[in-house]
Amino acid sequence: MADFPAFSVTADLVVLTVQGNELRVLLVRRGIEPYRGAWALPGGFVLPDEDLDAAAVRELREETGLTAPVGHLEQLASYGAPGRDPRGRVVTVAYLALLPHLPAPVAGSDAEGAAWVALPPGELAFDHARILADGVERARAKLEYSPLATAFCPPEFTITELREVYETVWDARLDPRNFHRKVTGTPGFVEPVGRSIAAERGRPAQLFRRGPARLLHPPMLRPTP
Amino acid sequence: MADFPAFSVTADLVVLTVQGNELRVLLVRRGIEPYRGAWALPGGFVLPDEDLDAAAVRELREETGLTAPVGHLEQLASYGAPGRDPRGRVVTVAYLALLPHLPAPVAGSDAEGAAWVALPPGELAFDHARILADGVERARAKLEYSPLATAFCPPEFTITELREVYETVWDARLDPRNFHRKVTGTPGFVEPVGRSIAAERGRPAQLFRRGPARLLHPPMLRPTP
DNA sequence: CCCTTTATCGTCACGATGACGATAAGCTCC
DNA sequence: GGAGCTTATCGTCATCGTGACGATAAAGGG
């Protein structure tokens, strides 16, 4: 392998969450050149003896303090155009993480500052705008045929909370009655906890947790406007 | 980037085609160690000033002699576990290519030998069995919600040829009448050429070419056995 | 107790689909 | 040239999923 050693490899993260009718992404402000002071996706170099997935998990933990297996993490795509990093030849393996909104502040970050930024953000370093767009599009598409919307919710949630996730990520309004029928009627999507929770107003709602299904048959369809 | 230069990057290809009721993958027999003599996915190192996609296109051309934009090529996933290549730290960016069956023999290959091998193949070098499985699963899934089955067909094809692609990739039997209705009724999936072609037996079939649609709404659904 | 709000259940029409019959348009064979 | 075979294409019908939307249930606030 001494013939082609000229690559560095990073694992960068598109970490999305839903809070207050907004889809937000975790960004860090770069403390060093290049792009010093600019927003960028969190991430870092894959260690010499580390698997790609392990690097992504490590970066996610470092940036969010997450240790418990909550939310969802999957590989997104890889980006390796020459010149995308002015320092040299860098291939970035991007990962997509979907998390419930964390009440605790973003801790343990070694970057200058980390923040949840509403979409769309401003300018991003490197080709991170493209990576972010790919991640958001992946998330939007996956809500259709997978139960991943539950990754944006806490362990126990109401149907209304789940619907608000869909409405926020898709930027669309869904009929509460049809949504309720669809979700509770799809086997394995959600399972009733058996308890209810009172909201600020109105009738208390049943609590659910995510079910065992990995795929939705038939899928949730985005409204055609 | 001098801190972490210890990676080599390859672009490897999962090239699939449909021929005679069989799904086949393009494999090369390795001429050098490690895994000398074993079947492997075609591919090679990304050049120092080459984009990942460009490397995949170059490898595809070198292995198949393809120059015209036929079929389909997309990034699949990246694989970088330590130890997956005994020679050192290698990250492989895998690509998935779907091609019509090429009447010309596989030309221009710089490997010892290249062949179309029916699935499932025997043992493969490195972690290529896993990469191949991921590629096949991606292809199977994409036939549901995209018109990519046309990538397995020549520029002009009949509905029956297209149905045989689905049946082969999914290993399922589809009702010819319902399939015909579904395909011709989905806007942008296929467009009639206006001519017909006579098969060996039976009524001649109309010829179609692929339409402009990128997504199928609603999707083709795999039969639930 | 009435009103507001939200959760949940019901109803109905319509479009998509699976099962399958019917017809069309070539061929071969006699 | 017609019978018979094969495949392509069209039609029919019951069923299911879905969008639109009415109705009811269950809380709190005045």
Side-chain angles (χ1 to χ4, degrees), chain A residues 1 4-5 7-8 45 47-48 50-52 75 78 80-82 87 89, chain B residues 1 4-5 7-8 45 47-48 50-52 75 78 80-81 87 89-90:
Chain A
M1 288 307 90
F4 297 89
F7 289 84
S8 298
F45 291 102
L47 301 181
E50 187 180 41
D51 195 0
L52 301 178
Q75 196 186 106
S78 295
R87 295 168 295 182
R89 196 65 206 278
Chain B
M1 288 309 90
F4 297 89
F7 290 82
S8 300
F45 291 103
L47 300 181
E50 187 181 40
D51 195 0
L52 301 179
Q75 195 185 106
S78 295
R87 295 168 295 182
R89 196 64 206 279
V90 178

PDB file of all heavy atoms in Angstrom, chain A residues 1 4-5 7-8 45 47-48 50-52 75 78 80-82 87 89, chain B residues 1 4-5 7-8 45 47-48 50-52 75 78 80-81 87 89-90:
ATOM      1  N   MET A   1       0.810  -1.209   0.000  1.00  0.00           N
ATOM      2  CA  MET A   1       0.000   0.000   0.000  1.00  0.00           C
ATOM      3  C   MET A   1       0.841   1.256   0.000  1.00  0.00           C
ATOM      4  O   MET A   1       0.339   2.356   0.065  1.00  0.00           O
ATOM      5  CB  MET A   1      -0.891   0.058   1.253  1.00  0.00           C
ATOM      6  CG  MET A   1      -2.027  -0.912   1.243  1.00  0.00           C
ATOM      7  SD  MET A   1      -3.057  -0.845  -0.203  1.00  0.00           S
ATOM      8  CE  MET A   1      -2.248  -2.008  -1.290  1.00  0.00           C
ATOM      9  N   PHE A   4       0.038   4.238  -2.738  1.00  0.00           N
ATOM     10  CA  PHE A   4      -1.003   5.270  -2.732  1.00  0.00           C
ATOM     11  C   PHE A   4      -1.363   5.641  -1.307  1.00  0.00           C
ATOM     12  O   PHE A   4      -2.471   5.394  -0.867  1.00  0.00           O
ATOM     13  CB  PHE A   4      -2.249   4.768  -3.467  1.00  0.00           C
ATOM     14  CG  PHE A   4      -2.019   4.489  -4.912  1.00  0.00           C
ATOM     15  CD1 PHE A   4      -1.599   3.229  -5.331  1.00  0.00           C
ATOM     16  CD2 PHE A   4      -2.210   5.476  -5.862  1.00  0.00           C
ATOM     17  CE1 PHE A   4      -1.392   2.975  -6.673  1.00  0.00           C
ATOM     18  CE2 PHE A   4      -2.002   5.217  -7.209  1.00  0.00           C
ATOM     19  CZ  PHE A   4      -1.586   3.961  -7.610  1.00  0.00           C
ATOM     20  N   PRO A   5      -0.457   6.241  -0.581  1.00  0.00           N
ATOM     21  CA  PRO A   5      -0.755   6.505   0.834  1.00  0.00           C
ATOM     22  C   PRO A   5      -1.287   7.900   1.062  1.00  0.00           C
ATOM     23  O   PRO A   5      -1.376   8.338   2.196  1.00  0.00           O
ATOM     24  CB  PRO A   5       0.619   6.365   1.478  1.00  0.00           C
ATOM     25  CG  PRO A   5       1.581   6.841   0.409  1.00  0.00           C
ATOM     26  CD  PRO A   5       0.896   6.680  -0.934  1.00  0.00           C
ATOM     27  N   PHE A   7      -3.908   9.668   1.326  1.00  0.00           N
ATOM     28  CA  PHE A   7      -5.243  10.073   1.730  1.00  0.00           C
ATOM     29  C   PHE A   7      -5.370  10.172   3.240  1.00  0.00           C
ATOM     30  O   PHE A   7      -4.855   9.339   3.978  1.00  0.00           O
ATOM     31  CB  PHE A   7      -6.281   9.070   1.223  1.00  0.00           C
ATOM     32  CG  PHE A   7      -6.480   9.112  -0.252  1.00  0.00           C
ATOM     33  CD1 PHE A   7      -5.639   8.410  -1.102  1.00  0.00           C
ATOM     34  CD2 PHE A   7      -7.503   9.850  -0.804  1.00  0.00           C
ATOM     35  CE1 PHE A   7      -5.826   8.440  -2.479  1.00  0.00           C
ATOM     36  CE2 PHE A   7      -7.696   9.889  -2.184  1.00  0.00           C
ATOM     37  CZ  PHE A   7      -6.852   9.186  -3.013  1.00  0.00           C
ATOM     38  N   SER A   8      -6.090  11.213   3.653  1.00  0.00           N
ATOM     39  CA  SER A   8      -6.594  11.245   5.020  1.00  0.00           C
ATOM     40  C   SER A   8      -8.088  10.951   4.963  1.00  0.00           C
ATOM     41  O   SER A   8      -8.757  11.261   3.980  1.00  0.00           O
ATOM     42  CB  SER A   8      -6.361  12.617   5.647  1.00  0.00           C
ATOM     43  OG  SER A   8      -4.978  12.901   5.704  1.00  0.00           O
ATOM     44  N   PHE A  45     -10.804  13.046  12.228  1.00  0.00           N
ATOM     45  CA  PHE A  45     -10.061  12.017  11.532  1.00  0.00           C
ATOM     46  C   PHE A  45     -10.344  10.639  12.103  1.00  0.00           C
ATOM     47  O   PHE A  45     -10.489  10.469  13.323  1.00  0.00           O
ATOM     48  CB  PHE A  45      -8.560  12.313  11.609  1.00  0.00           C
ATOM     49  CG  PHE A  45      -8.182  13.522  10.809  1.00  0.00           C
ATOM     50  CD1 PHE A  45      -7.947  14.744  11.421  1.00  0.00           C
ATOM     51  CD2 PHE A  45      -8.086  13.438   9.429  1.00  0.00           C
ATOM     52  CE1 PHE A  45      -7.614  15.853  10.666  1.00  0.00           C
ATOM     53  CE2 PHE A  45      -7.756  14.547   8.681  1.00  0.00           C
ATOM     54  CZ  PHE A  45      -7.522  15.755   9.297  1.00  0.00           C
ATOM     55  N   LEU A  47      -9.147   7.240  13.305  1.00  0.00           N
ATOM     56  CA  LEU A  47      -7.876   6.870  13.930  1.00  0.00           C
ATOM     57  C   LEU A  47      -7.254   5.678  13.201  1.00  0.00           C
ATOM     58  O   LEU A  47      -7.945   4.928  12.518  1.00  0.00           O
ATOM     59  CB  LEU A  47      -8.102   6.543  15.413  1.00  0.00           C
ATOM     60  CG  LEU A  47      -8.700   7.709  16.212  1.00  0.00           C
ATOM     61  CD1 LEU A  47      -8.885   7.320  17.685  1.00  0.00           C
ATOM     62  CD2 LEU A  47      -7.816   8.951  16.105  1.00  0.00           C
ATOM     63  N   PRO A  48      -5.936   5.529  13.352  1.00  0.00           N
ATOM     64  CA  PRO A  48      -5.223   4.508  12.568  1.00  0.00           C
ATOM     65  C   PRO A  48      -5.752   3.092  12.751  1.00  0.00           C
ATOM     66  O   PRO A  48      -5.599   2.255  11.857  1.00  0.00           O
ATOM     67  CB  PRO A  48      -3.783   4.626  13.086  1.00  0.00           C
ATOM     68  CG  PRO A  48      -3.661   6.031  13.540  1.00  0.00           C
ATOM     69  CD  PRO A  48      -5.014   6.381  14.122  1.00  0.00           C
ATOM     70  N   GLU A  50      -9.082   2.258  13.741  1.00  0.00           N
ATOM     71  CA  GLU A  50     -10.483   2.447  14.096  1.00  0.00           C
ATOM     72  C   GLU A  50     -11.370   2.190  12.873  1.00  0.00           C
ATOM     73  O   GLU A  50     -11.052   2.637  11.768  1.00  0.00           O
ATOM     74  CB  GLU A  50     -10.672   3.892  14.582  1.00  0.00           C
ATOM     75  CG  GLU A  50     -12.037   4.220  15.143  1.00  0.00           C
ATOM     76  CD  GLU A  50     -12.088   5.681  15.576  1.00  0.00           C
ATOM     77  OE1 GLU A  50     -11.545   6.543  14.840  1.00  0.00           O
ATOM     78  OE2 GLU A  50     -12.672   5.960  16.622  1.00  0.00           O
ATOM     79  N   ASP A  51     -12.463   1.492  13.096  1.00  0.00           N
ATOM     80  CA  ASP A  51     -13.413   1.286  12.012  1.00  0.00           C
ATOM     81  C   ASP A  51     -14.146   2.598  11.719  1.00  0.00           C
ATOM     82  O   ASP A  51     -14.236   3.480  12.584  1.00  0.00           O
ATOM     83  CB  ASP A  51     -14.426   0.206  12.405  1.00  0.00           C
ATOM     84  CG  ASP A  51     -15.204  -0.305  11.199  1.00  0.00           C
ATOM     85  OD1 ASP A  51     -14.957   0.183  10.085  1.00  0.00           O
ATOM     86  OD2 ASP A  51     -16.049  -1.185  11.396  1.00  0.00           O
ATOM     87  N   LEU A  52     -14.689   2.704  10.505  1.00  0.00           N
ATOM     88  CA  LEU A  52     -15.387   3.936  10.129  1.00  0.00           C
ATOM     89  C   LEU A  52     -16.586   4.166  11.041  1.00  0.00           C
ATOM     90  O   LEU A  52     -16.783   5.276  11.560  1.00  0.00           O
ATOM     91  CB  LEU A  52     -15.836   3.855   8.672  1.00  0.00           C
ATOM     92  CG  LEU A  52     -14.732   3.636   7.625  1.00  0.00           C
ATOM     93  CD1 LEU A  52     -15.353   3.537   6.231  1.00  0.00           C
ATOM     94  CD2 LEU A  52     -13.711   4.753   7.677  1.00  0.00           C
ATOM     95  N   GLN A  75     -24.525   5.283   7.944  1.00  0.00           N
ATOM     96  CA  GLN A  75     -23.609   5.905   6.995  1.00  0.00           C
ATOM     97  C   GLN A  75     -24.414   6.598   5.908  1.00  0.00           C
ATOM     98  O   GLN A  75     -25.446   6.084   5.455  1.00  0.00           O
ATOM     99  CB  GLN A  75     -22.695   4.844   6.363  1.00  0.00           C
ATOM    100  CG  GLN A  75     -21.485   5.451   5.675  1.00  0.00           C
ATOM    101  CD  GLN A  75     -20.642   4.422   4.919  1.00  0.00           C
ATOM    102  OE1 GLN A  75     -20.652   4.349   3.690  1.00  0.00           O
ATOM    103  NE2 GLN A  75     -19.918   3.617   5.682  1.00  0.00           N
ATOM    104  N   SER A  78     -19.860   9.152   0.926  1.00  0.00           N
ATOM    105  CA  SER A  78     -18.466   9.579   1.022  1.00  0.00           C
ATOM    106  C   SER A  78     -18.181  10.651  -0.015  1.00  0.00           C
ATOM    107  O   SER A  78     -18.750  10.631  -1.110  1.00  0.00           O
ATOM    108  CB  SER A  78     -17.525   8.388   0.820  1.00  0.00           C
ATOM    109  OG  SER A  78     -17.689   7.468   1.872  1.00  0.00           O
ATOM    110  N   GLY A  80     -14.980  12.870  -1.784  1.00  0.00           N
ATOM    111  CA  GLY A  80     -13.525  12.875  -1.918  1.00  0.00           C
ATOM    112  C   GLY A  80     -13.014  13.635  -3.112  1.00  0.00           C
ATOM    113  O   GLY A  80     -11.980  13.273  -3.673  1.00  0.00           O
ATOM    114  N   ALA A  81     -13.705  14.689  -3.507  1.00  0.00           N
ATOM    115  CA  ALA A  81     -13.235  15.457  -4.658  1.00  0.00           C
ATOM    116  C   ALA A  81     -11.873  16.073  -4.346  1.00  0.00           C
ATOM    117  O   ALA A  81     -11.646  16.540  -3.221  1.00  0.00           O
ATOM    118  CB  ALA A  81     -14.243  16.547  -5.017  1.00  0.00           C
ATOM    119  N   PRO A  82     -10.968  16.060  -5.309  1.00  0.00           N
ATOM    120  CA  PRO A  82      -9.680  16.730  -5.083  1.00  0.00           C
ATOM    121  C   PRO A  82      -9.922  18.214  -4.824  1.00  0.00           C
ATOM    122  O   PRO A  82     -10.763  18.838  -5.466  1.00  0.00           O
ATOM    123  CB  PRO A  82      -8.933  16.518  -6.406  1.00  0.00           C
ATOM    124  CG  PRO A  82      -9.679  15.458  -7.135  1.00  0.00           C
ATOM    125  CD  PRO A  82     -11.094  15.517  -6.659  1.00  0.00           C
ATOM    126  N   ARG A  87      -6.065  21.552   2.633  1.00  0.00           N
ATOM    127  CA  ARG A  87      -4.853  21.032   3.273  1.00  0.00           C
ATOM    128  C   ARG A  87      -4.301  19.804   2.575  1.00  0.00           C
ATOM    129  O   ARG A  87      -3.172  19.408   2.816  1.00  0.00           O
ATOM    130  CB  ARG A  87      -5.164  20.680   4.737  1.00  0.00           C
ATOM    131  CG  ARG A  87      -5.515  21.872   5.580  1.00  0.00           C
ATOM    132  CD  ARG A  87      -6.092  21.448   6.900  1.00  0.00           C
ATOM    133  NE  ARG A  87      -7.378  20.754   6.729  1.00  0.00           N
ATOM    134  CZ  ARG A  87      -8.112  20.317   7.734  1.00  0.00           C
ATOM    135  NH1 ARG A  87      -7.691  20.482   8.972  1.00  0.00           N
ATOM    136  NH2 ARG A  87      -9.254  19.714   7.516  1.00  0.00           N
ATOM    137  N   ARG A  89      -5.409  15.844   0.416  1.00  0.00           N
ATOM    138  CA  ARG A  89      -6.392  14.917  -0.122  1.00  0.00           C
ATOM    139  C   ARG A  89      -7.140  14.240   1.018  1.00  0.00           C
ATOM    140  O   ARG A  89      -6.608  13.352   1.685  1.00  0.00           O
ATOM    141  CB  ARG A  89      -5.671  13.866  -0.983  1.00  0.00           C
ATOM    142  CG  ARG A  89      -6.611  13.102  -1.881  1.00  0.00           C
ATOM    143  CD  ARG A  89      -7.228  14.036  -2.901  1.00  0.00           C
ATOM    144  NE  ARG A  89      -8.533  13.529  -3.355  1.00  0.00           N
ATOM    145  CZ  ARG A  89      -8.694  12.609  -4.277  1.00  0.00           C
ATOM    146  NH1 ARG A  89      -7.663  12.088  -4.886  1.00  0.00           N
ATOM    147  NH2 ARG A  89      -9.899  12.204  -4.607  1.00  0.00           N
TER     148      ARG A  89
ATOM    149  N   MET B   1      -2.391  17.863   6.927  1.00  0.00           N
ATOM    150  CA  MET B   1      -2.865  16.482   6.827  1.00  0.00           C
ATOM    151  C   MET B   1      -1.753  15.479   7.042  1.00  0.00           C
ATOM    152  O   MET B   1      -1.934  14.291   6.899  1.00  0.00           O
ATOM    153  CB  MET B   1      -3.461  16.233   5.437  1.00  0.00           C
ATOM    154  CG  MET B   1      -4.778  16.893   5.215  1.00  0.00           C
ATOM    155  SD  MET B   1      -6.026  16.615   6.471  1.00  0.00           S
ATOM    156  CE  MET B   1      -5.715  17.962   7.608  1.00  0.00           C
ATOM    157  N   PHE B   4      -2.346  12.346   9.625  1.00  0.00           N
ATOM    158  CA  PHE B   4      -3.071  11.086   9.438  1.00  0.00           C
ATOM    159  C   PHE B   4      -3.030  10.668   7.969  1.00  0.00           C
ATOM    160  O   PHE B   4      -4.042  10.652   7.307  1.00  0.00           O
ATOM    161  CB  PHE B   4      -4.524  11.216   9.880  1.00  0.00           C
ATOM    162  CG  PHE B   4      -4.667  11.514  11.341  1.00  0.00           C
ATOM    163  CD1 PHE B   4      -4.676  12.818  11.814  1.00  0.00           C
ATOM    164  CD2 PHE B   4      -4.777  10.459  12.238  1.00  0.00           C
ATOM    165  CE1 PHE B   4      -4.812  13.065  13.168  1.00  0.00           C
ATOM    166  CE2 PHE B   4      -4.907  10.715  13.591  1.00  0.00           C
ATOM    167  CZ  PHE B   4      -4.919  12.019  14.066  1.00  0.00           C
ATOM    168  N   PRO B   5      -1.877  10.337   7.461  1.00  0.00           N
ATOM    169  CA  PRO B   5      -1.806  10.026   6.037  1.00  0.00           C
ATOM    170  C   PRO B   5      -1.894   8.543   5.749  1.00  0.00           C
ATOM    171  O   PRO B   5      -1.636   8.114   4.642  1.00  0.00           O
ATOM    172  CB  PRO B   5      -0.420  10.534   5.662  1.00  0.00           C
ATOM    173  CG  PRO B   5       0.388  10.274   6.915  1.00  0.00           C
ATOM    174  CD  PRO B   5      -0.566  10.257   8.089  1.00  0.00           C
ATOM    175  N   PHE B   7      -3.877   6.220   4.964  1.00  0.00           N
ATOM    176  CA  PHE B   7      -4.945   5.506   4.280  1.00  0.00           C
ATOM    177  C   PHE B   7      -4.708   5.414   2.776  1.00  0.00           C
ATOM    178  O   PHE B   7      -4.279   6.382   2.156  1.00  0.00           O
ATOM    179  CB  PHE B   7      -6.289   6.203   4.512  1.00  0.00           C
ATOM    180  CG  PHE B   7      -6.798   6.085   5.917  1.00  0.00           C
ATOM    181  CD1 PHE B   7      -6.352   6.934   6.909  1.00  0.00           C
ATOM    182  CD2 PHE B   7      -7.715   5.107   6.240  1.00  0.00           C
ATOM    183  CE1 PHE B   7      -6.819   6.823   8.206  1.00  0.00           C
ATOM    184  CE2 PHE B   7      -8.195   4.989   7.533  1.00  0.00           C
ATOM    185  CZ  PHE B   7      -7.741   5.835   8.523  1.00  0.00           C
ATOM    186  N   SER B   8      -5.058   4.254   2.239  1.00  0.00           N
ATOM    187  CA  SER B   8      -5.243   4.137   0.799  1.00  0.00           C
ATOM    188  C   SER B   8      -6.734   4.064   0.530  1.00  0.00           C
ATOM    189  O   SER B   8      -7.502   3.572   1.359  1.00  0.00           O
ATOM    190  CB  SER B   8      -4.563   2.873   0.263  1.00  0.00           C
ATOM    191  OG  SER B   8      -3.172   2.922   0.534  1.00  0.00           O
ATOM    192  N   PHE B  45      -7.245   1.564  -7.091  1.00  0.00           N
ATOM    193  CA  PHE B  45      -6.945   2.725  -6.275  1.00  0.00           C
ATOM    194  C   PHE B  45      -7.430   4.018  -6.926  1.00  0.00           C
ATOM    195  O   PHE B  45      -7.369   4.173  -8.149  1.00  0.00           O
ATOM    196  CB  PHE B  45      -5.443   2.815  -6.022  1.00  0.00           C
ATOM    197  CG  PHE B  45      -4.962   1.708  -5.127  1.00  0.00           C
ATOM    198  CD1 PHE B  45      -4.295   0.604  -5.645  1.00  0.00           C
ATOM    199  CD2 PHE B  45      -5.194   1.760  -3.763  1.00  0.00           C
ATOM    200  CE1 PHE B  45      -3.880  -0.427  -4.819  1.00  0.00           C
ATOM    201  CE2 PHE B  45      -4.779   0.740  -2.935  1.00  0.00           C
ATOM    202  CZ  PHE B  45      -4.124  -0.365  -3.459  1.00  0.00           C
ATOM    203  N   LEU B  47      -6.838   7.624  -7.931  1.00  0.00           N
ATOM    204  CA  LEU B  47      -5.587   8.312  -8.273  1.00  0.00           C
ATOM    205  C   LEU B  47      -5.441   9.592  -7.457  1.00  0.00           C
ATOM    206  O   LEU B  47      -6.435  10.135  -6.946  1.00  0.00           O
ATOM    207  CB  LEU B  47      -5.573   8.627  -9.764  1.00  0.00           C
ATOM    208  CG  LEU B  47      -5.682   7.369 -10.649  1.00  0.00           C
ATOM    209  CD1 LEU B  47      -5.645   7.749 -12.126  1.00  0.00           C
ATOM    210  CD2 LEU B  47      -4.573   6.380 -10.329  1.00  0.00           C
ATOM    211  N   PRO B  48      -4.214  10.071  -7.323  1.00  0.00           N
ATOM    212  CA  PRO B  48      -3.957  11.207  -6.422  1.00  0.00           C
ATOM    213  C   PRO B  48      -4.753  12.462  -6.754  1.00  0.00           C
ATOM    214  O   PRO B  48      -5.008  13.274  -5.867  1.00  0.00           O
ATOM    215  CB  PRO B  48      -2.455  11.441  -6.609  1.00  0.00           C
ATOM    216  CG  PRO B  48      -1.912  10.116  -6.990  1.00  0.00           C
ATOM    217  CD  PRO B  48      -2.972   9.469  -7.825  1.00  0.00           C
ATOM    218  N   GLU B  50      -7.873  12.493  -8.464  1.00  0.00           N
ATOM    219  CA  GLU B  50      -9.080  11.994  -9.116  1.00  0.00           C
ATOM    220  C   GLU B  50     -10.237  11.994  -8.120  1.00  0.00           C
ATOM    221  O   GLU B  50     -10.079  11.601  -6.965  1.00  0.00           O
ATOM    222  CB  GLU B  50      -8.807  10.564  -9.604  1.00  0.00           C
ATOM    223  CG  GLU B  50      -9.887   9.942 -10.452  1.00  0.00           C
ATOM    224  CD  GLU B  50      -9.493   8.527 -10.840  1.00  0.00           C
ATOM    225  OE1 GLU B  50      -8.925   7.798  -9.990  1.00  0.00           O
ATOM    226  OE2 GLU B  50      -9.759   8.141 -11.985  1.00  0.00           O
ATOM    227  N   ASP B  51     -11.407  12.430  -8.587  1.00  0.00           N
ATOM    228  CA  ASP B  51     -12.590  12.360  -7.740  1.00  0.00           C
ATOM    229  C   ASP B  51     -13.024  10.899  -7.581  1.00  0.00           C
ATOM    230  O   ASP B  51     -12.713  10.048  -8.408  1.00  0.00           O
ATOM    231  CB  ASP B  51     -13.725  13.175  -8.375  1.00  0.00           C
ATOM    232  CG  ASP B  51     -14.856  13.453  -7.388  1.00  0.00           C
ATOM    233  OD1 ASP B  51     -14.748  13.011  -6.236  1.00  0.00           O
ATOM    234  OD2 ASP B  51     -15.822  14.111  -7.794  1.00  0.00           O
ATOM    235  N   LEU B  52     -13.783  10.644  -6.506  1.00  0.00           N
ATOM    236  CA  LEU B  52     -14.231   9.270  -6.260  1.00  0.00           C
ATOM    237  C   LEU B  52     -15.109   8.775  -7.403  1.00  0.00           C
ATOM    238  O   LEU B  52     -14.928   7.664  -7.914  1.00  0.00           O
ATOM    239  CB  LEU B  52     -14.995   9.207  -4.932  1.00  0.00           C
ATOM    240  CG  LEU B  52     -14.230   9.647  -3.674  1.00  0.00           C
ATOM    241  CD1 LEU B  52     -15.148   9.551  -2.456  1.00  0.00           C
ATOM    242  CD2 LEU B  52     -12.985   8.810  -3.469  1.00  0.00           C
ATOM    243  N   GLN B  75     -23.041   5.710  -6.036  1.00  0.00           N
ATOM    244  CA  GLN B  75     -22.230   5.304  -4.902  1.00  0.00           C
ATOM    245  C   GLN B  75     -23.056   4.398  -3.999  1.00  0.00           C
ATOM    246  O   GLN B  75     -24.258   4.636  -3.788  1.00  0.00           O
ATOM    247  CB  GLN B  75     -21.751   6.534  -4.117  1.00  0.00           C
ATOM    248  CG  GLN B  75     -20.620   6.219  -3.155  1.00  0.00           C
ATOM    249  CD  GLN B  75     -20.206   7.405  -2.282  1.00  0.00           C
ATOM    250  OE1 GLN B  75     -20.492   7.467  -1.098  1.00  0.00           O
ATOM    251  NE2 GLN B  75     -19.544   8.362  -2.902  1.00  0.00           N
ATOM    252  N   SER B  78     -19.189   2.898   1.911  1.00  0.00           N
ATOM    253  CA  SER B  78     -17.748   2.816   2.133  1.00  0.00           C
ATOM    254  C   SER B  78     -17.451   1.812   3.223  1.00  0.00           C
ATOM    255  O   SER B  78     -18.221   1.662   4.174  1.00  0.00           O
ATOM    256  CB  SER B  78     -17.190   4.186   2.496  1.00  0.00           C
ATOM    257  OG  SER B  78     -17.326   5.069   1.404  1.00  0.00           O
ATOM    258  N   GLY B  80     -14.262   0.378   5.701  1.00  0.00           N
ATOM    259  CA  GLY B  80     -12.915   0.721   6.143  1.00  0.00           C
ATOM    260  C   GLY B  80     -12.505   0.070   7.438  1.00  0.00           C
ATOM    261  O   GLY B  80     -11.714   0.647   8.187  1.00  0.00           O
ATOM    262  N   ALA B  81     -13.000  -1.130   7.704  1.00  0.00           N
ATOM    263  CA  ALA B  81     -12.612  -1.787   8.945  1.00  0.00           C
ATOM    264  C   ALA B  81     -11.108  -2.050   8.944  1.00  0.00           C
ATOM    265  O   ALA B  81     -10.549  -2.430   7.909  1.00  0.00           O
ATOM    266  CB  ALA B  81     -13.385  -3.091   9.103  1.00  0.00           C
ATOM    267  N   ARG B  87      -2.759  -5.802   3.552  1.00  0.00           N
ATOM    268  CA  ARG B  87      -1.612  -4.988   3.150  1.00  0.00           C
ATOM    269  C   ARG B  87      -1.543  -3.670   3.898  1.00  0.00           C
ATOM    270  O   ARG B  87      -0.518  -3.007   3.892  1.00  0.00           O
ATOM    271  CB  ARG B  87      -1.675  -4.693   1.651  1.00  0.00           C
ATOM    272  CG  ARG B  87      -1.541  -5.928   0.790  1.00  0.00           C
ATOM    273  CD  ARG B  87      -1.910  -5.622  -0.636  1.00  0.00           C
ATOM    274  NE  ARG B  87      -3.329  -5.253  -0.768  1.00  0.00           N
ATOM    275  CZ  ARG B  87      -3.909  -4.968  -1.931  1.00  0.00           C
ATOM    276  NH1 ARG B  87      -3.203  -4.975  -3.051  1.00  0.00           N
ATOM    277  NH2 ARG B  87      -5.193  -4.663  -1.975  1.00  0.00           N
ATOM    278  N   ARG B  89      -4.002  -0.141   5.676  1.00  0.00           N
ATOM    279  CA  ARG B  89      -5.261   0.514   5.964  1.00  0.00           C
ATOM    280  C   ARG B  89      -5.888   1.007   4.669  1.00  0.00           C
ATOM    281  O   ARG B  89      -5.460   2.020   4.113  1.00  0.00           O
ATOM    282  CB  ARG B  89      -5.022   1.679   6.932  1.00  0.00           C
ATOM    283  CG  ARG B  89      -6.291   2.165   7.592  1.00  0.00           C
ATOM    284  CD  ARG B  89      -6.883   1.076   8.463  1.00  0.00           C
ATOM    285  NE  ARG B  89      -8.324   1.237   8.611  1.00  0.00           N
ATOM    286  CZ  ARG B  89      -8.911   2.060   9.452  1.00  0.00           C
ATOM    287  NH1 ARG B  89      -8.177   2.790  10.274  1.00  0.00           N
ATOM    288  NH2 ARG B  89     -10.215   2.150   9.494  1.00  0.00           N
ATOM    289  N   VAL B  90      -6.901   0.319   4.213  1.00  0.00           N
ATOM    290  CA  VAL B  90      -7.537   0.635   2.942  1.00  0.00           C
ATOM    291  C   VAL B  90      -9.012   0.928   3.180  1.00  0.00           C
ATOM    292  O   VAL B  90      -9.710   0.126   3.786  1.00  0.00           O
ATOM    293  CB  VAL B  90      -7.403  -0.528   1.932  1.00  0.00           C
ATOM    294  CG1 VAL B  90      -8.112  -0.173   0.637  1.00  0.00           C
ATOM    295  CG2 VAL B  90      -5.943  -0.844   1.676  1.00  0.00           C
TER     296      VAL B  90
END
